Amino acid sequence: MTRIGGAEMVDWNLAVATAIRLVRPGPDVTREEARAVVAELRRHAKASEEHVRDFTRMIPDGHEPEDTPVLVVDRPGWVKANVAGFRALLKPLIDKMEERRAGTAGGAVLGAVGGKVTGVELGMLLSFLASRVLGQYETFAPPTRELPGAPGSGGRLLLVAPNIVHVERELDVAPHDFRLWVSLHEETHRTQFTAVPWLRDHLKGEIQAFLAETDVDPMTVLERLREAAQTLAGGRPEGERDEGRSLVEIVQSPEQREILGRLTAVMSLLEGHADYVMDGVGPQVVPSVAEIREKFQQRRARGASRLDLALRKLLGLDAKLRQYRDGERFVRAVAEEVGMDGFNRVWTSPNTLPTKAEITRPADWIARVHRRADS
């Protein structure tokens, strides 16, 4: 990464160290219980492959997609994986900010201090998120010996064992059923990226285009990180919190709004599709799926606390919750109208992805992709 005066804009190692130091301890389990949870999650991840393939019909018979590893991690492992992903994905923006810093008065001082400050503040945010994520398909980080990935894309499926155990206890649901239910959701994400070869590069290209349009003073970005960290630490009075904007809304150019609209649409599709598949497969293999879904939806909606709700808004996580809801409605409406194979036309090319408007009006997508093509 480009350096000014030997200092990075973000001290990534310090971000990892800070997050690991501050992250909450996981639920109280014995070593034997922890081993049993890890083993069961690995079994569920493997079993989920066949369930998701049969339901989605995204992978043709006889075709084996790129193999990606399943990593059952703890909270520090999730932090390390995501910092690696952020570092790779945000490199163009960081390089741009480095160039601007080099031409400003006091840039050397900012280089010596700013990277440390930003590393600490980023670590605080990651420590908050590390106790909440159940799993994810990590798409962009390069593989390492500690965190292996697929040979070509570097993709890997992460299941965060302590968080899964924490939530299943909080909801008071059957552990076996809940672990399989979560695995079905995350396996759907893995299938999306392995069965659709162009999807990863398309998504990365959109994100890179968004970052390339960013024209933000470095101090503005640092200030937004500081606001988030101070909210997390309780260092700002409630009345002083800026609850109107998320971190991704620090830029408002027309070009970025257009790109962000496309990104919102594709993320709504991916998350909604995973929820739809999870619930579609559920009744056959997860006996208590209805109870799990009802309790989990209630948990999503209410948040853990007022602090949790404030941070969700600041970090843009409330938008992610809308993506689950709107995306699932889109997938369900399309599948009911044209069947699963008809829905799968969405994976044909970037041109067949739904727009942000079509996510809330699935009939418009059907008219554009199906009826025009069929005619």
Side-chain angles (χ1 to χ4, degrees), residues 15-329:
V16 171
T18 300
I20 292 175
R21 185 175 70 252
L22 296 178
V23 72
R24 298 176 182 175
D28 186 19
V29 295
T30 66
R31 182 171 299 181
E32 292 72 22
E33 288 172 330
R35 289 173 178 167
V37 170
V38 170
E40 184 173 21
L41 286 173
R42 286 175 176 158
R43 291 196 302 270
H44 285 331
K46 184 63 178 177
S48 295
E49 290 184 36
E50 183 175 353
H51 295 314
V52 171
R53 286 189 185 193
D54 290 346
F55 186 84
T56 65
R57 299 201 289 274
M58 291 178 64
I59 302 175
D61 292 338
H63 174 72
E64 284 300 320
E66 179 183 62
D67 186 34
T68 55
V70 176
L71 307 181
V72 181
V73 298
D74 56 10
R75 290 168 179 174
W78 180 88
V79 168
K80 293 175 183 177
N82 277 266
V83 165
F86 291 154
R87 188 171 188 171
L89 199 59
L90 296 177
K91 186 177 186 302
L93 176 60
I94 298 296
D95 286 347
K96 188 173 183 178
M97 292 169 65
E98 294 276 9
E99 292 174 3
R100 292 191 60 171
R101 187 178 69 181
T104 61
V109 175
L110 182 61
V113 179
K116 299 294 184 184
V117 173
T118 309
V120 170
E121 292 170 344
L122 179 59
M124 293 177 68
L125 295 179
L126 288 170
S127 71
F128 169 79
L129 295 172
S131 62
R132 283 155 173 77
V133 176
L134 301 182
Q136 72 183 89
Y137 185 74
E138 216 297 317
T139 315
F140 302 113
T144 64
R145 183 170 61 179
E146 185 179 8
L147 293 165
S153 68
R156 54 197 173 215
L157 182 62
L158 305 177
L159 295 172
V160 190
N163 295 350
I164 293 173
V165 172
H166 171 78
V167 173
E168 71 191 25
R169 290 179 177 179
E170 179 185 310
L171 298 181
D172 190 25
V173 293
H176 173 85
D177 288 3
F178 184 75
R179 295 167 193 175
L180 178 54
W181 189 70
V182 171
S183 297
L184 290 168
H185 181 101
E186 303 307 333
E187 175 58 34
T188 303
H189 285 317
R190 180 164 67 162
T191 298
Q192 291 163 348
F193 282 94
T194 56
V196 185
W198 54 264
L199 183 59
R200 176 184 179 272
D201 288 341
H202 171 72
L203 191 58
K204 183 177 181 179
E206 291 281 58
I207 294 172
Q208 299 289 15
F210 181 88
L211 296 176
E213 292 291 335
T214 300
D215 186 20
V216 180
D217 182 82
M219 293 307 298
T220 303
V221 177
L222 296 181
E223 179 59 27
R224 293 302 293 174
L225 281 171
R226 187 166 296 110
E227 289 175 6
Q230 288 175 337
T231 301
L232 177 60
R236 299 182 66 190
E238 184 176 346
E240 294 182 9
R241 291 173 187 164
D242 176 7
E243 297 187 2
R245 294 174 24 167
S246 71
L247 286 173
V248 297
E249 293 172 320
I250 58 176
V251 254
Q252 297 291 332
S253 74
E255 294 80 5
Q256 285 183 309
R257 283 196 290 271
E258 183 178 343
I259 297 169
L260 191 58
R262 295 197 299 267
L263 280 170
T264 299
V266 70
M267 294 310 297
S268 297
L269 171 69
L270 298 180
E271 296 294 357
H273 182 236
D275 264 13
Y276 177 77
V277 173
M278 179 170 62
D279 289 345
V281 174
Q284 286 74 47
V285 298
V286 182
S288 59
V289 64
E291 177 191 2
I292 290 173
R293 164 56 73 189
E294 181 180 1
K295 290 183 175 181
F296 195 75
Q297 289 288 60
Q298 292 173 355
R299 182 180 186 273
R300 270 183 182 172
R302 69 174 181 263
S305 64
R306 293 181 66 185
L307 174 61
D308 186 68
L309 292 171
L311 275 166
R312 280 191 348 194
K313 189 170 189 65
L314 183 62
L315 298 174
L317 300 183
D318 53 344
K320 186 175 178 64
L321 298 181
R322 289 194 297 272
Q323 289 172 3
Y324 284 105
R325 182 183 66 248
D326 296 342
E328 195 275 340
R329 289 174 180 170

